[in-house]
């Protein structure tokens, strides 16, 4: 369940809520909401700032209790930096810091005035949407396999925002996107002994059954055999969990050609016979974040009722070593007919995606985008902030980069020039599944480009961006926000 969102135009001083959120600037001045509260409290806020109890450093939060003259039991002051122009990235820092402080408290009902801050180049609907998504992101709790279900950490349930009633559609849309982001996080965070390819397929089928007009088809191993998906099937062979290729269809865009999203859904990537022995294997339940976020973007589009035609393909496979497992030096025949020499069974994502991308072409995509935790090299290149974007289409790159900027869920482009293609040469097949030591994210993209010729195709490598690092690191739902924004931009 996502948070309960509402708009409220009521006066702040007399609002019945557990916490009011307002901004202060680093010159000691107050946002207009904070000013209203200051007036209602006979200058209590300004005195706190003057005493140095609260300051305007970006993202600094100060929780005040029992402010005289104000009905709400608490006021959360959030530093907003300079009182001048505010760029979108700063605004996102502010709403995220506030949301985090709230989520770590015992506060239940919140009213935020932050959505009223003026952000350069962005409108009020944007500010509202981002504030709502930040709130829902921080309030997310993983509960599925915890007996305690966070019983001692209640967290917020209701959020209202200062905004005029005309912004209700923007808030409804944000709520829909929040549901999609939660769906992606929940699926990705589940352990691989629960979330295997069959489980992913069941989730998709249950969603389709609960939403009229959604079509869901699950391709089984036998169907994939008839289609000649020799590459995907080779990866699946070493696992006791059979592969599933999930097809979800949502038609709400008239007779337009569909947008097709393809997600890498390795519910666990052990590396196969090239077993992951250098560390990091325990994080490889997240190797289905591509499929999880494609699913989440699909859920978001449906929940937000976006006027698009959308096809989501989730390529669910587990990469394991056993007696039937595919081997380094095997030569596979992909659905496209291209033969592939396996030089490393741990470069399995591209082997799964190439067949899913070939299959995707029967939907005649207006645009085809795959999303994958594809390479460690992308993590080295771009770290945790930017998704790696690869495409030969400058216009599609521009659309996706812009959607990243707008949503704050940013990508950065890497080249997939043909100059890199010889790195994939093989003596025994049409192509090898690995390049050399260098440019690992790019050669993976180049590999995929061989299976998407003639398509308006882009590849997002989300290996570094889709879950937070560390032992308690969780899936964060990226790039659902980017992809949803891209769909919105294409229809408005
Ligand atoms: N799923 C991994 C990529 C990955 C690594 C994602 C670390 C997130 C964090 C992928 O299947 C993989 O193992 N790639 C290899 C490719 C190599 C063998 C060419 C890699 O990046 O090391
Ligand atoms: Mn791998
Ligand atoms: Zn992988």
């Amino acid at each position: 369940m996502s948070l309960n969102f509402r708009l409220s135009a009521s006066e702040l001083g007399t609002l019945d809520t557990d916490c009011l959120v307002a901004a202060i600037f680093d010159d000691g001045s107050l946002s207009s909401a904070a000013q209203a509260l200051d007036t209602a409290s006979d200058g209590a806020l300004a005195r706190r700032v003057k005493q140095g109890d609260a300051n305007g450093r970006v993202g600094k939060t100060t929780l005040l209790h029992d402010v005289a003259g104000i009905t709400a039991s608490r006021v959360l002051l959030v530093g907003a930096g300079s009182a001048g122009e505010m760029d979108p990235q700063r605004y996102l820092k502010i709403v995220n810091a506030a949301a985090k402080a709230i989520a770590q408290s015992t506060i239940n009902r919140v009213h935020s005035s932050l959505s009223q801050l003026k952000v350069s180049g962005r409108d009020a609907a944007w500010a509202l949407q981002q504030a709502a998504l930040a709130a829902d992101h921080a309030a997310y709790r993983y509960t599925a396999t915890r007996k305690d279900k966070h019983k001692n950490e209640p967290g917020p349930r209701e959020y209202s925002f200062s905004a005029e009633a005309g912004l209700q559609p923007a808030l409804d849309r944000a709520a829909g996107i929040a549901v999609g982001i939660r769906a992606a996080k929940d699926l990705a965070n589940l352990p691989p002994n629960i979330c295997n390819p069959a489980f992913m397929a069941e989730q998709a089928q249950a969603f389709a059954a609960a939403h009229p007009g959604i079509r869901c088809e699950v391709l089984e191993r036998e169907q994939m055999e008839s289609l000649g998906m020799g590459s995907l099937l080779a990866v699946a062979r070493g696992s006791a969990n059979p592969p599933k290729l999930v097809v979800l269809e949502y038609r709400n865009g008239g007779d337009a050609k569909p947008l097709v999203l393809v997600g890498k859904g390795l519910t666990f990537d052990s590396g196969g016979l090239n077993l992951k022995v250098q560390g990091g294997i325990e994080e490889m339940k997240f190797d289905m974040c591509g499929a999880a976020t494609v699913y989440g973007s699909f859920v978001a589009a449906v929940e937000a009722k976006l006027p698009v035609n959308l096809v989501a393909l989730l390529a669910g496979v587990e990469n394991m070593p056993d007696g039937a497992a595919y081997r380094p030096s095997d030569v596979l025949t992909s659905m496209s007919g291209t033969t592939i020499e396996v030089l490393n069974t741990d470069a399995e994502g591209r082997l799964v995606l190439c067949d899913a991308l070939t299959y995707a072409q029967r939907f005649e995509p207006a645009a085809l985008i795959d999303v994958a935790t594809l390479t460690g090299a992308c993590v080295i290149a771009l770290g945790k902030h930017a998704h790696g974007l690869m495409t030969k289409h400058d216009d599609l790159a521009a659309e996706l980069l812009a959607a990243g900027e707008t949503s704050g869920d940013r990508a950065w482009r890497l080249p997939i020039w043909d100059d890199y293609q010889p790195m994939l040469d093989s003596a025994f097949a049409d192509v090898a599944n690995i390049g050399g030591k260098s440019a690992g994210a790019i050669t993976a993209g180049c590999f995929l480009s061989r299976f998407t010729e003639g398509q308006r195709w882009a590849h997002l490598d989300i290996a570094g961006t889709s879950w937070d690092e560390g032992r308690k690191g969780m899936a964060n739902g990226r790039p659902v926000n980017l992809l949803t924004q891209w769909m919105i931009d294409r229809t408005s």
Side-chain angles (χ1 to χ4, degrees), residues 264 266 268-271 276 284 286-288 319 345-350 373-375:
K264 170 179 173 181
L266 266 288
F268 188 68
D269 175 15
S270 69
K276 287 189 183 288
M284 283 299 120
F286 290 123
D287 211 20
M288 39 68 78
N319 185 21
T345 61
D346 199 10
E348 85 299 335
R350 63 199 76 183
T373 50
L374 204 60
T375 64

Side-chain angles (χ1 to χ4, degrees), residues 345-370:
T345 61
D346 199 10
E348 85 299 335
R350 63 199 76 183
L351 298 175
V352 169
L353 285 173
C354 68
D355 280 342
L357 284 166
T358 300
Y359 183 77
Q361 296 177 23
R362 69 182 51 204
F363 298 99
E364 299 181 28
L368 173 60
I369 301 177
D370 77 78

Side-chain angles (χ1 to χ4, degrees), residues 115 152 195 210 232 333 359 384 472 482:
S115 52
N152 301 317
C195 182
L232 185 156
T333 303
Y359 183 77
K384 64 179 178 180
K472 293 188 172 182
L482 181 159

